[in-house]
Amino acid sequence: MADEIIKESEEVSGSEEVKSKNFIEQIIDKDLEEGKYTKIVTRFPPEPNGYLHIGHAKSILLNYGLAVEYGGQFNLRFDDTNPTKEKEEFVDSIIEDVKWLGADFRGEVLFASNYFDQMYEAAVKLIKKGKAYVDELSAEEIREYRGTLTEPGKNSPYRDRTIEENLALFEAMKNGEFADGSKVLRAKIDMASPNINMRDPVIYRIARMTHHNTGDKWCIYPMYDFAHPIEDAIEGVTHSICTLEFEDHRPLYDWVVTELEYPHPPKQIEFSKLYLTNVVTGKRYIKKLVEDGIVDGWDDPRLVSLAALRRRGFTPSSLKTFMELAGVSKSQGSCDYAMLEYCIREDLKPVVPRLMGVLNPIKLVIDNYPEGQTEEFDIENNPDSEDAGTRKVTFSRELYVEADDFMEEPPKKYFRLFPGNEVRLKGAYFVKCTSCEKDADGNVTLIHATYDPETRSGSGFEGRKVKGTIHWVNAADCLTAEVRLYENIIDEEKGKLNEDGTLNLNPNSLVVLKDAKLEACLKDAKPGDSFQFIRNGYFCVDSKDSKDGEPVFNRIVGLKSSYKPA
């Protein structure tokens, strides 16, 4: 009997991978077991006041992933309750980012502003319950009355207005009878609460602003902490998943949905934010970089906005892998940028073509190769993929090679080109360096070599061996293109900020090479196409500055990794 049990256990463990669940999944499992919800609904609720960055990707993929895992629904809803900073430009960019990540919100985009009528009625309900009042204290006085972390607040002199007076004043606020900032509606909770967020928070303010969605219909707008739980409840959201800074706001979230008597109130759960080393995510800093012309917009490939990552050549699947490695927890920490680079390398390595690109070119002339002759070689597109096939690459007397593949007086263990040394040109012939030419300043301008026709690649040559193989392109038909090499825009090891509070920028964050020589087939490369340039890294055709027949290439990531997965 014991043997049978052991055998059955081995069969189960061998056929089913046991998946450990994060703390959010454990909460959802418990809620479903207890019958609190019949269908899981999650949401991503951005404010349309800027571009999304990599931290938002964690929230999007987490919320969408949970909806998929539990057969539920994922909503994209804009928390557009503050029209001073909101723009259609940001709405459009966020929709594009969410779609790019593959988070399916069923084609329907939701807006908090669509619920403004319901929010107004919710505020009226609180007034009628004696749970809200119109206050006339100034913003400075409200802060003064609120108290401190160690001292309780004190009641506003307007806190005990009658329900009838509060209803009339709130309606007058809605009708535009008072000046901006002259009155607010506050929740009546507890001015002595140890949680400052519960000390009669403002839930409506007067602000005459044109809203991107509702126009000039409203001159009063709800505050975020009041609006957000109502939006979740209206949409049937079951689990309102947010980052840790909202943990102290959860009592207010719960108070709102409880006092408004929603039958199936959503549950707020907090998780740790994604912090990434050596990047800039703060909107204030990015705006300054854009305005000062240090970067060429919110999609500059040195940034980690989703638009910038997409333009640089990162893929949705690489970001998903990165988020899985980062994990979901309540413990605050940071991830090394090298881990993100590891994920994109692993994503691209098996699928993108491996081509030859010479970034810092110097001409190589094969003196004994027949002038005017051209031949073709079949070179594999990707040795890691059996289905990738081969391509034709032309070869002639004059080629380009990397400048650092030649040294007139090399150190020991340098196996590339130097006078008297022989190397293999990848996929072609052995060539022996014979001499070089220099300009008046002593810079090498031309390398001379001879080739051995017996060493043609694929010919079965088994003679002498060479220790070095270098890449090359045919000078007669190669593409001359602009290539951009990127590094992190800041280096936190040297300090993220200068003494004056400005960013400590890396002066080498962008190097532009105007004269790179690339394989001829890249003339037809389209924006978004990705490749590996042998020995130089992974590159993507820039979607902003490329033109037909004139692609610009962004380096996504180099070939070497300092990150090792656990």
Side-chain angles (χ1 to χ4, degrees):
M1 182 68 174
D3 291 341
E4 292 177 0
I5 294 174
I6 292 172
K7 182 179 180 182
E8 182 179 342
S9 174
E10 289 175 344
E11 289 174 350
V12 170
S13 62
S15 61
E16 296 182 7
E17 182 181 349
V18 178
K19 177 180 180 278
S20 62
K21 295 196 172 185
N22 61 52
F23 79 98
I24 297 177
E25 292 169 314
Q26 293 170 8
I27 291 172
I28 294 175
D29 285 345
K30 187 172 185 292
D31 288 343
L32 290 173
E33 288 171 7
E34 294 175 353
K36 290 184 178 178
Y37 308 103
T38 57
K39 177 185 177 182
I40 298 302
V41 180
T42 62
R43 84 289 174 269
F44 175 61
E47 298 176 63
N49 59 6
Y51 285 76
L52 301 184
H53 58 67
I54 192 168
H56 296 111
K58 180 177 181 179
S59 180
I60 295 167
L61 293 171
L62 173 59
N63 279 281
Y64 176 65
L66 290 168
V68 171
E69 179 182 351
Y70 290 96
Q73 179 178 324
F74 169 74
N75 292 347
L76 170 61
R77 179 231 302 148
F78 287 93
D79 263 325
D80 55 344
T81 59
N82 184 10
T84 55
K85 299 180 180 180
E86 296 163 358
K87 296 180 182 178
E88 282 295 329
E89 171 192 353
F90 299 137
V91 171
D92 294 340
S93 71
I94 290 170
I95 292 172
E96 183 180 4
D97 288 341
V98 175
K99 286 182 176 179
W100 176 67
L101 284 173
D104 181 11
F105 49 89
R106 302 188 179 182
E108 182 181 9
V109 178
L110 305 172
F111 291 89
S113 53
N114 289 341
Y115 313 135
F116 279 172
D117 288 296
Q118 290 150 286
M119 291 177 191
Y120 178 80
E121 292 303 321
V124 169
K125 182 174 183 176
L126 290 180
I127 294 172
K128 289 180 177 179
K129 291 179 68 175
K131 298 290 185 178
Y133 63 96
V134 174
D135 196 2
E136 296 180 36
L137 293 177
S138 67
E140 184 177 339
E141 289 171 326
I142 289 175
R143 282 193 294 272
E144 181 184 332
Y145 274 54
R146 185 177 292 138
T148 66
L149 292 172
T150 56
E151 298 178 352
K154 58 182 180 180
N155 291 347
S156 165
Y158 305 99
R159 194 174 195 265
D160 295 324
R161 276 177 162 150
T162 65
I163 290 174
E164 291 73 21
E165 186 179 4
N166 282 317
L167 287 172
L169 287 170
F170 188 50
E171 184 176 5
M173 286 171 59
K174 175 178 74 75
N175 293 337
E177 297 178 20
F178 303 119
D180 288 10
S182 62
K183 290 179 174 57
V184 295
L185 183 70
R186 298 177 68 178
K188 184 187 279 190
I189 307 178
D190 181 5
M191 290 302 294
S193 172
N195 186 334
I196 289 183
N197 296 297
M198 300 296 282
R199 295 180 187 175
D200 290 9
V202 174
I203 59 176
Y204 258 96
R205 82 281 199 197
I206 305 171
R208 287 169 173 80
M209 298 177 286
T210 299
H211 192 280
H212 77 97
N213 189 28
T214 60
D216 295 319
K217 177 181 178 181
W218 296 90
C219 65
I220 58 171
Y221 289 98
M223 303 298 288
Y224 178 88
D225 278 347
F226 177 66
H228 190 78
I230 294 174
E231 298 155 28
D232 286 343
I234 289 173
E235 293 174 10
V237 169
T238 56
H239 297 85
S240 178
I241 301 166
C242 56
T243 45
L244 282 175
E245 70 264 30
F246 291 100
E247 188 169 28
D248 289 341
H249 297 248
R250 192 196 323 145
L252 179 55
Y253 183 101
D254 292 340
W255 183 89
V256 170
V257 294
T258 299
E259 291 296 338
L260 293 176
E261 303 171 47
Y262 289 106
H264 302 288
K267 176 182 289 187
Q268 178 174 306
I269 307 171
E270 306 87 17
F271 68 99
S272 63
K273 264 186 175 181
L274 174 68
Y275 287 100
L276 192 60
T277 61
N278 299 325
V279 302
V280 180
T281 55
K283 292 175 184 175
R284 175 169 62 92
Y285 289 120
I286 296 176
K287 184 179 179 183
K288 177 71 171 170
L289 292 174
V290 173
E291 291 175 346
D292 291 348
I294 295 169
V295 298
D296 73 346
W298 289 76
D299 61 350
D300 187 290
R302 288 168 289 179
L303 302 176
V304 288
S305 66
L306 295 187
L309 290 168
R310 181 165 62 249
R311 180 181 171 192
R312 182 156 172 179
F314 281 83
T315 61
S317 54
S318 69
L319 295 187
K320 183 178 180 182
T321 301
F322 175 66
M323 300 307 165
E324 290 171 350
L325 288 173
V328 177
S329 72
K330 275 187 172 288
S331 301
Q332 203 62 271
S334 63
C335 294
D336 195 323
Y337 189 85
M339 186 166 82
L340 177 62
E341 293 181 320
Y342 165 83
C343 293
I344 187 62
R345 282 191 197 94
E346 291 299 299
D347 194 53
L348 296 177
K349 182 179 178 181
V351 296
V352 301
R354 296 186 190 178
L355 308 180
M356 293 188 287
V358 178
L359 304 189
N360 294 291
I362 188 169
K363 186 168 282 189
L364 172 71
V365 176
I366 305 172
D367 294 317
N368 65 333
Y369 193 88
E371 289 193 42
Q373 179 175 311
T374 300
E375 59 184 307
E376 289 184 331
F377 290 93
D378 288 316
I379 297 183
E380 58 189 355
N381 289 322
N382 188 329
D384 289 337
S385 173
E386 295 179 359
D387 301 325
T390 62
R391 67 188 183 281
K392 300 288 186 182
V393 179
T394 61
F395 183 93
S396 63
R397 189 171 186 265
E398 296 187 0
L399 311 172
Y400 285 109
V401 297
E402 294 285 359
D404 62 5
D405 279 343
F406 171 80
M407 294 186 73
E408 194 172 11
E409 297 180 2
K412 290 182 179 180
K413 296 186 178 181
Y414 182 86
F415 300 122
R416 286 168 275 174
L417 286 170
F418 57 88
N421 192 47
E422 191 172 40
V423 301
R424 173 176 285 284
L425 297 177
K426 180 173 176 57
Y429 293 106
F430 285 13
V431 295
K432 179 182 285 188
C433 178
T434 56
S435 64
C436 66
E437 297 180 16
K438 300 179 183 179
D439 61 19
D441 296 322
N443 300 310
V444 176
T445 57
L446 188 70
I447 304 167
H448 288 279
T450 58
Y451 87 115
D452 183 347
E454 300 297 323
T455 60
R456 180 183 168 97
S457 182
S459 65
F461 174 74
E462 296 182 357
R464 63 195 177 279
K465 303 293 183 181
V466 292
K467 292 184 178 180
T469 299
I470 66 173
H471 60 281
W472 53 275
V473 294
N474 186 17
D477 61 5
C478 66
L479 168 68
T480 299
E482 179 177 316
V483 172
R484 299 166 179 175
L485 307 181
Y486 296 101
E487 294 181 3
N488 293 113
I489 198 165
I490 57 171
D491 185 349
E492 289 186 358
E493 290 185 3
K494 297 179 181 178
K496 188 171 184 176
L497 299 176
N498 296 311
E499 292 183 0
D500 60 0
T502 59
L503 287 169
N504 185 10
L505 298 174
N506 174 9
N508 300 315
S509 64
L510 171 61
V511 175
V512 179
L513 305 175
K514 296 282 190 179
D515 193 41
K517 308 296 184 181
L518 314 177
E519 280 192 41
C521 64
L522 287 166
K523 294 175 183 177
D524 298 324
K526 303 300 181 187
D529 289 349
S530 296
F531 310 90
Q532 183 192 126
F533 291 170
I534 294 170
R535 291 173 52 212
N536 281 316
Y538 293 93
F539 292 78
C540 175
V541 180
D542 187 77
S543 58
K544 191 172 184 178
D545 297 328
S546 296
K547 301 175 183 177
D548 288 344
E550 298 179 23
V552 174
F553 294 85
N554 300 326
R555 184 161 66 184
I556 308 168
V557 65
L559 294 179
K560 294 182 179 180
S561 175
S562 60
Y563 171 79
K564 301 296 180 184

